[in-house]
Amino acid sequence: MPARQPRLLLPDAPALVAGFGRGALLTPDGELLTLPTAEIGRRLRDLGPPLLVHAPATFRRLGLPPVPACDLLELFAFCRPAHPAAPTPRGLAISLDRDLPADDEAAAALLPELATDLLRHLAAGRNAPLNRDAAQLAQKLGAEIHWPWAESVLAALGQPDARPSLDPLKVWRRLPDWEDEAPPPPPAHQPITQAEARRRLADILGEGAEQRPQQSDFASAAAGAFQAREAKGSPNLVLAEAGTGTGKTLGYVAPASLWAERNGAPVWISTFTRNLQRQIDQETARLYPDPVERRRRVVVRKGRENYLCLLNMEEQIGAAQMAGMLLPLALVSRWALFTRDGDLMGGDFPGWLSELFGHHAVWPLADRRGECVHSACGHYKQCFVEHSIRRAKTATLVVANHALVMVQAALGGGEDGRPLRLVFDEGHHLFDAADAAFSADLTGGETAELRRWLLGAEGGRSRARGLARRMEELVGDRPDLLMPLEDALQAARALPGQGWPSRLAENDPRGATEDFLHSVRRQVLARIRDDDAGYGVECDVHPLNPGVPEAAEKLGAALARLHAPLQTLRDRLHARLEDEAEELEVGDRIRIEAAVRGIERRALMPLTGWGAMLKTLAEPPRPPGIRPDYVDWFALERREGREVDAGMFRHHLDPTQPFALTVAAPAHGVLITSATLRDSGDGETDDPDTIWRAAEARTGVQHLAAPAIRAAVPSPFDYGARTRALVVTDVAREEFGQVAAAYRTLFVAAGGGGLGLFTAVRRLREVHSRIAEPLAQAGIPLYAQHVDAMDNATLVDVFRAEESSCLLGTDAMRDGVDVPGQSLRILVFDRVPWPRPTILHRERRLHLSEGRPKAHDDAIARHRLRQAYGRLIRRADDKGVFVLLDARTPSRLLAGLPDGVIVQRLGLRQAVEATREFLAQP
């Protein structure tokens, strides 16, 4: 007989979907109503907790105070853990393969059906190993916090066994251990020919795939990075521009995967944005359709702070007696069983959990910088990070990001070792990524973080144990280790303690570091303009204010007193590896190696850099006109008018130089690619060699011994026919009311599907506050970065799922966002994205512009506009309108838009009519 199907049970609740100031309500007796906010509130008081999607957003949109609710997102996270879904009714319908609701009333009617689908899915897998503790977990939630879905879940799963079992929240007991393997043999160096790259691409695409000659040409060019290296320090380097729509991801995956399989070493693919990192990972399913093989062959690598830390989770569970933490921890524990790699930031983790329960429910679960205790952790063998590190060593493709690749290179290879072959997608961002990776900040935040790492949580609730606790098993009662450890911890008290920002603002510094920061703050405030009062400000280092050199000298001495015992401790620990080689257990050896690495990277390296910065303050200033290696400045950082940090900053004048020397030169092959590597120029300079040399300067290629292979593959899209470019000439860009009105009318003319880009967060928030309600009344939901408490990936997922919605964002939404189809049909930029006029930009403009500072600024703005324009067309059948609300836009900047685009300068009324007319065409 077939097994009896479990009974499905739904809460007897009304279903609610919010508009702005109104909502659609399905009553328990089947009546479907559209009601104003006040009436919705009265009905809910009578009918009880509603069935809805995303309770905080629903009540915020209605303007009602939060009340208990049956949130379908909670049920989804329990029933479909690690499964993607945008947190809206339409998003859930897409995820569950349901017909999409046409309006709010249809969405309200659909909610009970979505709940039924989720419970049926759970019931179908009730006997699956990963659901073994699910019923017990639901029972715990029902008993302790009266979770409204507990009874429904238990009806689908059946009651848990009566026998006692382990706490279902302690998920690490169910996670697999990683196992060490023998070191891999050295890789071979067999090259990939252009013909082989083309054949591998054809195999990936399969028979009957659309013929894309540009993609095949790109794969052929990319093969140049996979030849045998002929000289040390001279990688096979390919600089390849591939226009939007070329299909460059599979174009480079083809030769990369073939080289890795043939030679027995992984190829690292690096991106600048998490969005693209996730997209590349998804694209590899074309190459390895079997999920098990794909997990073995393709590994996503990020920094430790991106992953779930099981030790943090254990401590949060221990402190979760408050009802508010139990449910999010339960849903995270469900996800941890099903996740592919434990990535909390942009992987398969539902980012909307942070908005449902607050960031405090999620961010403490990730590793904080320098906090990991490595092999001393009780969950070391189940650690998601350690799993990913070991899988990466034997993978075919490792999908990483520029920050991780560069930081690990600066550390001599890091935990993963140096990759032999590298692909840098979003190569136009290499300059910015290198700028962040190879800089130094001597600030209150950085120095206070080092104090926390050394001394632990002084009076706080963090689990940060401090160096003494982390090393107590290694140090024991050995005087040769105890003495330098104690000296270091005593010297660390010169670093800022708790409350340092307030003391700086109140002119009451304590200790050598706070004295220096206070002197920096005084100099900055003395040099700025009065109208800079509400924003972060900066000033040149020279001429130094009285008191700054003396404070710098005292801080330098204090840091030296900290550096010396830490170096002694590091050296003596390292000596144990040789002196006690025959006595050390494997676990002790691993702990010592981790301790040595931690002291070196977390303390000695920044202390050395800070000491060098302070020494330069005693030197005479650089003569005008002499090109520096570094740019130094003082700054006072503010957030929403409040001072949050102060300090001295140092950046390389040309950060691509350390990138070339530490990242590219040691590799055997490097491919740097992007849709916008080259600057098309201002229409006056069309010499191809000149344009390529500028691209080589921005990517560091000019610092390498051998020249790069240059390749350019044009976009297959007809931008002239499929897009319109408009510059609005009668909107005063400084008047928020006019700018907001322009966004509103343009978005309404397009019927939604609008991406609004801003060059400042303040303007974004001001416009959002003015247009959210009128757009909602027009049936157009509005979402915004820096307003909605969702991460960028979740915001893009919502925007992609909700075809009538609009999204406001800043730089992160300009790059790496892939929204094909109707969801993006108009892009509105608030003004020309000129570079910020900072001290660092001033020096680069002066010394890197080859005597053409204006052209330097133009190239940056032109590149940003071109990147934004590339968001519009992601498929051949896409169409869209690009609007720039800046009458001051110079024509020379618009020369960077795709070939065939004709820019029209119109008044707002004409721009709205042109938008409506163009988008209405088939």
Side-chain angles (χ1 to χ4, degrees), residues 206-369:
E207 295 183 7
E210 176 188 358
Q211 295 299 310
R212 302 166 81 177
Q214 293 94 337
Q215 187 178 33
S216 188
D217 291 344
F218 177 79
S220 178
F226 299 96
Q227 309 305 304
R229 189 175 69 171
E230 296 181 359
K232 183 177 180 180
S234 296
N236 296 290
L237 186 62
V238 176
L239 199 61
E241 183 174 272
T244 302
T246 301
K248 69 178 185 296
T249 299
L250 292 182
Y252 59 64
V253 161
S257 60
L258 188 57
W259 186 91
E261 293 168 8
R262 179 175 294 175
N263 293 287
V267 174
W268 278 56
I269 299 171
S270 180
T271 75
F272 184 69
T273 60
R274 288 195 184 109
N275 283 329
L276 185 58
Q277 194 174 9
R278 181 172 63 164
Q279 290 168 27
I280 292 171
D281 179 40
Q282 293 168 349
E283 281 280 296
T284 60
R286 300 279 295 274
L287 176 62
Y288 303 118
D290 177 35
V292 175
E293 182 185 17
R294 179 166 162 249
R295 187 177 188 278
R296 178 174 61 86
R297 295 271 199 173
V298 182
V299 176
V300 175
R301 284 288 289 118
K302 298 182 180 181
R304 286 183 177 269
E305 67 279 2
N306 290 279
Y307 294 89
L308 172 66
C309 172
L310 295 172
L311 185 56
N312 279 1
M313 186 173 183
E314 181 179 17
E315 298 215 351
Q316 289 296 110
I317 289 172
Q321 302 307 316
M322 297 183 298
M325 285 299 297
L326 182 58
L327 179 56
L329 285 172
L331 298 180
V332 171
S333 72
R334 287 284 291 162
W335 166 80
L337 283 174
F338 289 81
T339 179
R340 179 180 166 196
D341 51 19
D343 180 6
L344 285 168
M345 310 292 175
D348 53 20
F349 184 77
W352 32 262
L353 282 183
S354 296
E355 190 169 4
L356 294 188
F357 303 106
H359 285 289
H360 66 278
V362 175
W363 71 261
L365 301 177
D367 181 33
R368 289 188 64 183
R369 183 175 50 173

Side-chain angles (χ1 to χ4, degrees), residues 442 512-513 515-516 519 544 547-561 610-611 613-618:
L442 175 50
T513 310
D515 284 341
F516 173 72
S519 69
L544 289 169
V548 176
E550 295 80 6
E553 183 179 4
K554 290 180 181 178
L555 177 56
L559 297 183
R561 287 192 295 272
W610 294 340
M613 293 167 67
L614 292 169
K615 285 181 181 178
T616 62
L617 296 182

Side-chain angles (χ1 to χ4, degrees), residues 252-514:
Y252 59 64
V253 161
S257 60
L258 188 57
W259 186 91
E261 293 168 8
R262 179 175 294 175
N263 293 287
V267 174
W268 278 56
I269 299 171
S270 180
T271 75
F272 184 69
T273 60
R274 288 195 184 109
N275 283 329
L276 185 58
Q277 194 174 9
R278 181 172 63 164
Q279 290 168 27
I280 292 171
D281 179 40
Q282 293 168 349
E283 281 280 296
T284 60
R286 300 279 295 274
L287 176 62
Y288 303 118
D290 177 35
V292 175
E293 182 185 17
R294 179 166 162 249
R295 187 177 188 278
R296 178 174 61 86
R297 295 271 199 173
V298 182
V299 176
V300 175
R301 284 288 289 118
K302 298 182 180 181
R304 286 183 177 269
E305 67 279 2
N306 290 279
Y307 294 89
L308 172 66
C309 172
L310 295 172
L311 185 56
N312 279 1
M313 186 173 183
E314 181 179 17
E315 298 215 351
Q316 289 296 110
I317 289 172
Q321 302 307 316
M322 297 183 298
M325 285 299 297
L326 182 58
L327 179 56
L329 285 172
L331 298 180
V332 171
S333 72
R334 287 284 291 162
W335 166 80
L337 283 174
F338 289 81
T339 179
R340 179 180 166 196
D341 51 19
D343 180 6
L344 285 168
M345 310 292 175
D348 53 20
F349 184 77
W352 32 262
L353 282 183
S354 296
E355 190 169 4
L356 294 188
F357 303 106
H359 285 289
H360 66 278
V362 175
W363 71 261
L365 301 177
D367 181 33
R368 289 188 64 183
R369 183 175 50 173
E371 198 172 69
C372 180
V373 295
H374 298 278
S375 59
C377 176
H379 310 305
Y380 183 60
K381 295 292 287 186
Q382 300 84 40
C383 175
F384 287 113
V385 179
E386 298 297 331
H387 268 290
S388 71
I389 291 171
R390 283 154 182 80
R391 287 172 47 225
K393 295 181 186 301
T394 58
T396 299
L397 302 174
V398 178
V399 184
N401 54 69
H402 296 351
L404 177 67
V405 170
M406 292 187 191
V407 168
Q408 294 205 142
L411 297 175
E415 297 166 311
D416 298 277
R418 291 189 183 276
L420 286 180
R421 307 282 166 166
L422 284 158
V423 175
F424 288 101
D425 204 339
E426 296 182 303
H428 59 280
H429 278 304
L430 283 177
F431 190 100
D432 293 334
D435 194 29
F438 299 106
S439 62
D441 302 344
L442 175 50
T443 65
E446 291 292 321
T447 51
E449 180 70 15
L450 178 56
R451 174 172 175 146
R452 186 194 68 83
W453 188 81
L454 290 166
L455 297 180
E458 301 171 273
R461 298 182 59 187
S462 166
R463 75 166 174 85
R465 294 174 170 81
L467 191 60
R469 286 286 307 276
R470 291 198 300 273
M471 297 188 61
E472 56 189 356
E473 294 183 11
L474 300 179
V475 173
D477 57 359
R478 298 176 55 139
D480 62 322
L481 298 178
L482 274 173
M483 289 181 62
L485 175 61
E486 291 174 356
D487 288 346
L489 298 182
Q490 182 62 35
R493 300 190 180 279
L495 301 173
Q498 289 183 339
W500 64 266
S502 299
R503 289 194 293 275
L504 287 189
E506 296 166 2
N507 298 309
D508 184 28
R510 301 176 190 174
T513 310
E514 292 185 27

Side-chain angles (χ1 to χ4, degrees), residues 192-211:
I192 303 301
T193 68
Q194 294 181 355
E196 288 172 329
R198 290 176 183 268
R199 284 197 295 270
R200 168 53 71 99
L201 176 62
D203 291 342
I204 295 173
L205 296 174
E207 295 183 7
E210 176 188 358
Q211 295 299 310

Side-chain angles (χ1 to χ4, degrees), residues 142 386 444 480 494 523 568 583 616 859 918:
E386 298 297 331
D480 62 322
Q523 176 166 323
T568 300
E583 306 169 18
T616 62
F918 177 69

